[in-house]
Amino acid sequence: MTSKQTRQATASEAALLRIFTLPEAPHSTLSQIEKNLSENLMGFLKENIVAVEKPLTEIEKDFQAHQIPASPSFVSDYAEQMMQTLIAHSVHTSAPSFIGHMTSALPYFVLPLSKMMVGLNQNLVKIETSKAFTPLERQVLGMMHHLVYGQADDFYDNWMHSANHSLGAFCSGGTVANITALWIARNRLLKADGDFRGVTASGLLSALRHYGYDDLAILVSTRGHYSLGKTADLLGIGRDNIIQIPCAKDNKVDVVKMRAAANELKARNIKVIAIVGVAGTTETGNIDPLNALADLAAELECHFHVDAAWGGASLLSNKYRHLLAGIERADSVTIDAHKQMYVPMGAGMVLFKDPQLANAIKHHAEYILRKGSKDLGSQTLEGSRPGMAMLVHACLQVIGRDGYEILINNSLEKARDFAELIKQQEDFQLVSAPELCLLTYRYVPAKVQRLLKQAVLDNDLNKVSQINGLLDGLTKFIQKRQREQGKSFVSRTRITPEDNLELTSVVFRVVLANPLTGDDILQQVLEEQREIAQQDNPFLPQLLTL
Amino acid sequence: MTSKQTRQATASEAALLRIFTLPEAPHSTLSQIEKNLSENLMGFLKENIVAVEKPLTEIEKDFQAHQIPASPSFVSDYAEQMMQTLIAHSVHTSAPSFIGHMTSALPYFVLPLSKMMVGLNQNLVKIETSKAFTPLERQVLGMMHHLVYGQADDFYDNWMHSANHSLGAFCSGGTVANITALWIARNRLLKADGDFRGVTASGLLSALRHYGYDDLAILVSTRGHYSLGKTADLLGIGRDNIIQIPCAKDNKVDVVKMRAAANELKARNIKVIAIVGVAGTTETGNIDPLNALADLAAELECHFHVDAAWGGASLLSNKYRHLLAGIERADSVTIDAHKQMYVPMGAGMVLFKDPQLANAIKHHAEYILRKGSKDLGSQTLEGSRPGMAMLVHACLQVIGRDGYEILINNSLEKARDFAELIKQQEDFQLVSAPELCLLTYRYVPAKVQRLLKQAVLDNDLNKVSQINGLLDGLTKFIQKRQREQGKSFVSRTRITPEDNLELTSVVFRVVLANPLTGDDILQQVLEEQREIAQQDNPFLPQLLTL
């Protein structure tokens, strides 16, 4: 059964063991490779372009092999190959002209720290495999909890490191954070009761029978993030039971309509599990009236969750945190540190007002997560997890409240300046003004703006529809061409502008989170879009001859 | 509204922008900090100790502050502080004497690559924020699919990069992989049908009504991973509906009993969603009879999932992959690359036999994941995700099949050797022999072994129970003290040994995945345990005077 002979170190085996052994010399091959990789990466990050344009189908040719290669490769050869095929065709998410998504620049000190984090290879599911990382993660959650809820000192002294309490849950991102929050809300609502063992043990069918509800629902605005639909699917609630309430013209949920919907559900014996407030919608960056939603949740006796995955970072600004007033009344709040907190990808959090909340999803196992332990894994959706909280911890300390104050304020004010700049252009139309640092707009020649305005006044749906359709084509054309040119990147989405006879339009979407994005770049973005609009396309000529 | 004045670069603002700006000189402060951190990390990793022992409550004192500090810190000060408070009190998961968990050594080349990955900060949810990382991830999934299912070339040519197909889903770990697989199984079973819009849209209650089932169930052995209970809770199925089937004495599920349970459920109109086979149980490392389970799943017309989170890596050994025979008949398979594939934490996967399978959980959103795109996010539980697949890609290329063959074979054979070594000791008892590289054992003085054997023969439950209780106390004492001494670490769990009158016992649990763990270390582990057994404790004296 055993075979000591075959375990004699052969030459290839010795080579293999070397890769697990610490490189001794500062000038080892690995150090050299690291230096080359760093230089290549820095070279890539220094060039202010979004990406070398190459069609995806071309890139795929470098990733065709479907068999794991038989022979090992030299690390140097592999690194060389990746610089050509992967780095060169990555997206330069930290470029100052990459203003299309919430992924932005990173402070450079996170790079050596992340290498350290990976090297330590801690597993946060359990203290036995993470030790000091566990109190560190609890501290990060405590600090973020304090940012949102601002409880008194003894609150944190009592609960931050308590085995049976959680001020939040760290996870890979906002989607898992939202799922966790609503999973808790569902389980608290359908808790054990007398002989009934709760939805946790007995499932949704028995739970609805026990409590006598005909169905469940979650209320959120039409601007809620798509992860909520995924959550409803996963939790067995069903996507159709995410009741989407229309927004007012300011892209904030209409609370009167939400209350009416809740009453209507109640009449149908459908129980509302939770109301979700959006604090920074993905498409327009607006914040729901959180205090009014908190009032409604209290009336309905349901869970109040705020999805502040992106907007939550604005709480770090004393000047602007009033925009999120009422968030401290939420039972749970999602915040992604990898959005405007400038932490690398993979750092999501959900915070719980009540430190007992997460007990609704608590679980144990004999070989891990024993009862009474401080293991973080007993209250998380994920199991094994890396020590990403360390990078949040680092940013909170190194940047500090004062640093974030400047970063967030500049970002919001840059968005206001850009909105002004757009308004000054006669051939651009600001579609949604920035409440945080996100805005939408489109290119509309002055003449067409006048035509559109008149058609709206005339209530001429055909005409508005015709103009709108051509503008959609033009906006898509500009956005794609600009991305292909590789100098800058804005994203696009579909929203319903004011005064558009309820018609949905394609718009440019800009997120101004990168501290290095200057006014000059924003001007260039508009100039480039104006130039592209004149390039060969069927839309502009038709618009101009209307 | 705008405020250009406040955006004038002040001194502190300039300092802040610098941290987002590339460090120019090779001898910059950041380079120096990185060097210090690396040296400290290497120093930590070089010492063959598990961790400096310090009570958790002491460590927590360094992580007490609950307010984000107002003033920024220097990176150098922060790094210095972390070396003292965090690194020094981390768990040395890669130490050759850390043989208690599945987290093991890393090949050092992943460190520079991971720094590059973090620096590029790609978001794999969408091609616009990941570009070449998307085909790279699809290739990794293709290679892993081929490892499990070994389909013909044209299968991979057709589906690996197809927009409407997925050979698998990458995720943060095995728990999310298992959830994804069973979510798909549930949604396929309760799919849209005529006017019924499917469980996805309408929820579980409507779905069960439509299909006329009284409830749902999932079948798995008593050794199934705790993530399955979490999955049942999350999906609304209920933990009690995870039907745990007893194992035979070899810790493999008893398929006769599983078939009987399935028939009994059918009689009660409870539909089996899925059978889960375990390929490498967490506690004993055994593999269920996968072919027999595949037959049963076919009979029941249900989904067959294999949780090979840990054992799946053994497929990389041509010599031992026969141990997992039948895995290629599974509809879905979970494999964690961060276990025995030597990839850092955060690299889980679920593979789908049928490339259409994941369409059961497909979702779209206007600003992201447009229909027909190759965006990976439309079929994953998580939303924003880092480019961890790159590190799996790197290991597959740099280690290669030949390299993994040696690593896996050595690991399995080392476990067999260690089992032999334990058997040769008169005061140790091997409790479960290794099928892969995991085994369990306990310290039982020779005299006590004889007493226990006799008590079992006499069917004297009181006596067996008395001895067993004392042995449990002793095993726990040894395990904790060994961990505290910090030279080596084995874990412990509770299982039911053969010939123990069905009584559960505490045992040492060892995973021999680290390529650097030598025979000498294994001998030392036993010697240390023997020594600790003699130290001041109430259990050994009582056992010896029985």
Side-chain angles (χ1 to χ4, degrees):
Chain A
M1 185 161 147
T2 76
S3 48
K4 292 230 174 182
Q5 284 115 322
T6 62
R7 296 215 290 108
Q8 298 292 323
T10 60
S12 59
E13 190 180 332
L16 199 58
L17 288 184
R18 252 197 317 274
I19 64 172
F20 287 91
T21 312
L22 279 164
E24 293 291 332
H27 300 292
S28 65
T29 318
L30 198 65
S31 307
Q32 192 52 48
I33 290 165
E34 176 157 6
K35 194 161 163 283
N36 291 348
L37 272 175
S38 282
E39 283 170 9
N40 185 284
L41 176 66
M42 295 303 162
F44 176 79
L45 295 182
K46 247 183 203 167
E47 308 211 358
N48 283 354
I49 53 162
V50 172
V52 176
E53 185 63 18
K54 191 176 175 182
L56 196 60
T57 46
E58 280 299 304
I59 295 174
E60 284 167 358
K61 287 181 183 161
D62 290 324
F63 301 96
Q64 278 308 338
H66 62 270
Q67 299 211 26
I68 302 165
S71 305
S73 295
F74 286 113
V75 177
S76 51
D77 291 348
Y78 178 73
E80 186 59 41
Q81 183 198 334
M82 285 302 103
M83 292 185 224
Q84 306 295 327
T85 57
L86 187 72
I87 302 195
H89 300 291
S90 299
V91 179
H92 186 169
T93 54
S94 63
S97 57
F98 182 90
I99 53 175
H101 285 298
M102 288 157 176
T103 311
S104 140
L106 294 178
Y108 281 93
F109 65 82
V110 302
L111 297 186
L113 291 176
S114 63
K115 193 175 87 171
M116 190 182 90
M117 181 196 87
V118 171
L120 289 171
N121 205 28
Q122 305 292 289
N123 182 350
L124 277 276
V125 73
K126 193 172 166 55
I127 286 164
E128 269 183 9
T129 51
S130 64
K131 206 69 189 274
F133 272 73
T134 291
L136 174 135
E137 185 169 297
R138 282 182 179 271
Q139 184 184 30
V140 168
L141 291 167
M143 286 182 170
M144 295 301 294
H145 188 284
H146 184 264
L147 178 70
V148 175
Y149 296 109
Q151 297 292 316
D153 291 357
D154 63 342
F155 178 93
Y156 299 96
D157 293 345
N158 288 336
W159 313 126
M160 198 160 76
H161 293 291
S162 162
N164 295 309
H165 299 81
S166 309
L167 301 188
F170 206 92
C171 54
S172 63
T175 295
V176 174
N178 283 341
I179 295 170
T180 303
L182 293 167
W183 180 21
I184 290 173
R186 188 200 68 183
N187 284 14
R188 281 181 89 214
L189 175 70
L190 306 172
K191 61 180 179 293
D193 173 38
D195 285 345
F196 175 61
R197 289 165 39 72
V199 65
T200 305
S202 304
L204 209 43
L205 186 69
S206 304
L208 292 177
R209 269 191 206 136
H210 175 82
Y211 281 101
Y213 299 129
D214 281 329
D215 220 333
L216 303 169
I218 293 169
L219 301 177
V220 65
S221 91
T222 47
R223 295 253 165 276
H225 189 254
Y226 74 94
S227 61
L228 299 172
K230 198 158 37 165
T231 302
D233 178 350
L234 196 62
L235 294 177
I237 296 163
R239 290 169 178 273
D240 290 353
N241 292 321
I242 295 277
I243 310 299
Q244 295 202 303
I245 310 297
C247 287
K249 284 185 176 168
D250 55 5
N251 291 302
K252 295 165 183 282
V253 70
D254 184 328
V255 183
V256 172
K257 286 185 181 154
M258 192 182 273
R259 182 173 281 107
N263 288 335
E264 196 251 346
L265 290 165
K266 196 171 182 182
R268 290 165 55 206
N269 193 32
I270 296 173
K271 175 66 189 169
V272 174
I273 299 178
I275 287 178
V276 180
V278 189
T281 67
T282 313
E283 286 156 297
T284 60
N286 295 105
I287 300 157
D288 282 342
L290 302 180
N291 270 313
L293 291 180
D295 291 342
L296 180 57
E299 273 172 54
L300 300 174
E301 295 181 335
C302 75
H303 187 102
F304 177 34
H305 176 65
V306 172
D307 181 359
W310 170 67
S314 297
L315 292 168
L316 289 160
S317 156
N318 285 320
K319 186 169 176 188
Y320 289 106
R321 69 168 286 148
H322 67 87
L323 293 171
L324 292 100
I327 196 169
E328 71 286 355
R329 297 173 63 191
D331 294 298
S332 54
V333 173
T334 291
I335 298 182
D336 269 346
H338 58 231
K339 295 198 168 100
Q340 218 179 338
M341 286 178 67
Y342 305 103
V343 171
M345 198 52 59
M349 279 169 278
V350 55
L351 304 161
F352 309 128
K353 185 176 195 175
D354 174 355
Q356 301 252 26
L357 204 67
N359 289 332
I361 56 164
K362 200 151 187 170
H363 46 268
H364 295 283
E366 190 50 51
Y367 45 92
I368 204 170
L369 318 176
R370 296 186 188 94
K371 283 182 189 174
S373 81
K374 293 185 177 180
D375 297 337
L376 293 163
S378 63
Q379 288 163 322
T380 57
L381 186 150
E382 294 166 286
S384 298
R385 283 187 302 116
M388 280 297 294
M390 196 199 97
L391 301 183
V392 185
H393 191 263
C395 285
L396 291 175
Q397 312 282 329
V398 175
I399 299 175
R401 281 299 297 261
D402 295 349
Y404 275 116
E405 182 80 35
I406 297 173
L407 290 171
I408 304 286
N409 293 353
N410 279 3
S411 159
L412 268 61
E413 287 156 15
K414 201 184 296 170
R416 283 148 178 70
D417 290 347
F418 188 44
E420 284 303 317
L421 185 68
I422 291 166
K423 283 194 213 163
Q424 286 160 18
Q425 316 298 312
E426 65 166 15
D427 51 355
F428 280 94
Q429 179 192 22
L430 183 70
V431 178
S432 66
E435 189 169 3
L436 296 173
C437 68
L438 196 163
L439 58 85
T440 64
Y441 66 103
R442 58 181 178 175
Y443 177 81
V444 190
K447 182 193 156 198
V448 180
Q449 288 192 36
R450 285 191 297 274
L451 277 175
L452 185 59
K453 205 167 182 179
Q454 190 56 50
V456 169
L457 281 175
D458 298 345
N459 209 22
D460 182 349
L461 188 61
N462 278 343
K463 188 82 180 175
V464 174
S465 177
Q466 183 194 17
I467 297 172
N468 198 56
L470 289 167
L471 285 174
D472 283 359
L474 183 61
T475 309
K476 279 192 210 175
F477 172 80
I478 296 171
Q479 193 264 349
K480 281 188 188 171
R481 181 64 59 90
Q482 190 168 27
R483 189 189 68 206
E484 286 160 12
Q485 292 184 177
K487 275 192 291 193
S488 51
F489 173 75
V490 302
S491 58
R492 68 171 203 268
T493 191
R494 277 186 168 279
I495 61 171
T496 312
E498 279 189 65
D499 301 328
N500 204 39
L501 301 187
E502 305 296 319
L503 286 177
T504 299
S505 303
V506 178
V507 293
F508 303 126
R509 172 175 166 276
V510 156
V511 189
L512 288 171
N514 191 327
L516 303 179
T517 307
D519 291 346
D520 50 337
I521 287 172
L522 296 175
Q523 269 169 358
Q524 284 161 22
V525 164
L526 295 184
E527 276 159 29
E528 192 185 12
Q529 292 181 324
R530 185 178 282 130
E531 268 169 35
I532 294 172
Q534 319 295 328
Q535 290 174 17
D536 187 36
N537 75 75
F539 310 106
L540 190 69
Q542 285 187 61
L543 280 164
L544 295 178
T545 52
L546 278 176
Chain B
M1 184 163 150
T2 77
S3 48
K4 292 230 175 183
Q5 284 114 321
T6 62
R7 298 214 287 106
Q8 297 292 322
T10 60
S12 59
E13 188 180 334
L16 200 58
L17 288 184
R18 251 197 318 274
I19 65 172
F20 288 91
T21 312
L22 279 165
E24 292 293 331
H27 301 291
S28 65
T29 317
L30 197 66
S31 306
Q32 191 52 47
I33 291 164
E34 175 156 8
K35 195 161 161 284
N36 293 348
L37 271 177
S38 282
E39 283 169 8
N40 184 282
L41 176 66
M42 294 303 162
F44 176 78
L45 294 182
K46 249 183 202 166
E47 308 210 358
N48 282 355
I49 53 160
V50 172
V52 177
E53 185 63 20
K54 191 175 175 182
L56 196 60
T57 46
E58 279 299 305
I59 295 174
E60 283 167 358
K61 288 182 182 162
D62 291 325
F63 301 95
Q64 278 308 339
H66 63 269
Q67 297 211 29
I68 302 166
S71 305
S73 296
F74 286 113
V75 178
S76 51
D77 293 346
Y78 178 74
E80 186 61 40
Q81 183 198 334
M82 285 301 106
M83 290 185 226
Q84 306 295 326
T85 58
L86 187 71
I87 302 195
H89 300 290
S90 299
V91 179
H92 186 170
T93 55
S94 63
S97 57
F98 182 91
I99 53 175
H101 284 298
M102 288 157 175
T103 311
S104 141
L106 295 177
Y108 281 94
F109 66 81
V110 300
L111 296 185
L113 292 176
S114 64
K115 192 175 86 170
M116 188 181 92
M117 182 197 87
V118 171
L120 289 170
N121 206 27
Q122 306 291 289
N123 182 350
L124 276 276
V125 73
K126 195 172 162 58
I127 286 164
E128 269 183 10
T129 51
S130 65
K131 206 70 189 274
F133 272 74
T134 291
L136 175 135
E137 185 169 297
R138 283 182 178 270
Q139 183 184 30
V140 167
L141 291 168
M143 286 181 168
M144 294 302 292
H145 188 284
H146 185 265
L147 178 70
V148 174
Y149 296 108
Q151 297 291 316
D153 291 356
D154 63 344
F155 178 92
Y156 299 96
D157 293 345
N158 288 337
W159 313 127
M160 197 160 78
H161 293 291
S162 162
N164 294 309
H165 298 81
S166 309
L167 302 188
F170 206 92
C171 54
S172 63
T175 295
V176 174
N178 283 340
I179 295 170
T180 303
L182 293 168
W183 181 20
I184 290 174
R186 188 200 69 182
N187 284 14
R188 281 180 90 214
L189 175 70
L190 305 173
K191 61 179 180 290
D193 172 38
D195 285 345
F196 175 62
R197 288 165 40 71
V199 65
T200 305
S202 304
L204 209 42
L205 186 70
S206 305
L208 291 178
R209 270 192 206 137
H210 176 83
Y211 282 102
Y213 300 129
D214 281 329
D215 220 333
L216 303 169
I218 293 169
L219 302 177
V220 65
S221 91
T222 47
R223 295 250 165 278
H225 189 254
Y226 74 95
S227 61
L228 298 172
K230 197 158 36 165
T231 302
D233 179 351
L234 195 63
L235 294 177
I237 296 163
R239 289 169 179 272
D240 290 352
N241 292 320
I242 295 278
I243 310 297
Q244 295 202 304
I245 310 297
C247 288
K249 286 187 174 166
D250 55 5
N251 291 303
K252 295 164 181 282
V253 71
D254 185 328
V255 183
V256 173
K257 286 184 181 154
M258 192 183 273
R259 182 173 281 106
N263 287 336
E264 196 251 346
L265 290 166
K266 196 171 181 182
R268 290 166 54 205
N269 193 31
I270 296 173
K271 175 67 188 170
V272 174
I273 299 177
I275 287 178
V276 179
V278 189
T281 67
T282 312
E283 285 156 297
T284 60
N286 295 103
I287 300 156
D288 282 341
L290 303 179
N291 269 312
L293 291 179
D295 290 343
L296 180 57
E299 274 172 52
L300 301 174
E301 294 181 335
C302 75
H303 187 102
F304 178 34
H305 175 64
V306 172
D307 181 358
W310 170 67
S314 298
L315 292 168
L316 289 159
S317 155
N318 285 319
K319 187 170 175 187
Y320 290 106
R321 69 169 285 148
H322 66 87
L323 293 171
L324 292 101
I327 197 170
E328 72 285 354
R329 295 173 64 191
D331 294 298
S332 54
V333 173
T334 290
I335 298 182
D336 269 347
H338 58 230
K339 295 200 168 99
Q340 219 179 339
M341 286 178 68
Y342 305 102
V343 171
M345 199 51 59
M349 280 170 277
V350 55
L351 305 162
F352 308 129
K353 185 176 195 175
D354 174 356
Q356 300 252 27
L357 204 67
N359 289 332
I361 56 164
K362 201 152 186 167
H363 47 267
H364 296 283
E366 189 51 50
Y367 46 91
I368 203 170
L369 318 176
R370 296 186 188 95
K371 283 184 188 172
S373 80
K374 293 185 176 179
D375 297 336
L376 292 163
S378 62
Q379 289 163 323
T380 55
L381 186 150
E382 293 166 286
S384 299
R385 284 188 300 117
M388 281 297 294
M390 197 200 96
L391 301 182
V392 185
H393 191 263
C395 285
L396 291 175
Q397 311 282 327
V398 174
I399 299 175
R401 281 300 295 262
D402 294 350
Y404 275 116
E405 182 80 35
I406 297 172
L407 290 171
I408 304 286
N409 293 352
N410 280 2
S411 158
L412 268 62
E413 287 156 16
K414 200 183 297 170
R416 282 149 179 72
D417 289 348
F418 189 44
E420 284 302 316
L421 185 68
I422 291 167
K423 283 194 212 164
Q424 286 161 18
Q425 317 297 311
E426 64 167 15
D427 51 354
F428 280 94
Q429 180 192 22
L430 183 70
V431 177
S432 66
E435 189 169 2
L436 296 173
C437 68
L438 197 163
L439 58 84
T440 64
Y441 66 103
R442 58 180 177 174
Y443 177 80
V444 191
K447 182 194 157 196
V448 180
Q449 288 193 37
R450 286 190 296 274
L451 278 175
L452 185 60
K453 207 168 181 178
Q454 190 57 49
V456 169
L457 282 174
D458 298 344
N459 209 24
D460 183 347
L461 188 61
N462 278 342
K463 188 82 181 174
V464 174
S465 177
Q466 185 194 16
I467 298 172
N468 198 56
L470 289 167
L471 285 174
D472 283 0
L474 184 61
T475 310
K476 280 192 208 172
F477 172 80
I478 297 172
Q479 193 264 349
K480 280 189 189 170
R481 181 63 58 91
Q482 189 167 30
R483 190 189 66 205
E484 286 160 13
Q485 292 185 178
K487 275 193 290 195
S488 50
F489 173 75
V490 301
S491 58
R492 70 171 201 267
T493 191
R494 278 187 168 278
I495 61 171
T496 312
E498 279 188 66
D499 301 326
N500 205 40
L501 301 187
E502 306 294 318
L503 287 177
T504 299
S505 302
V506 178
V507 293
F508 303 127
R509 172 175 166 276
V510 155
V511 189
L512 288 170
N514 190 326
L516 302 180
T517 306
D519 292 345
D520 51 337
I521 287 173
L522 297 176
Q523 268 167 359
Q524 285 161 20
V525 164
L526 295 184
E527 277 158 30
E528 192 184 13
Q529 292 181 325
R530 185 179 283 131
E531 269 169 34
I532 294 172
Q534 320 294 329
Q535 291 175 14
D536 187 37
N537 75 78
F539 310 106
L540 191 69
Q542 285 187 61
L543 280 164
L544 294 178
T545 52
L546 280 176

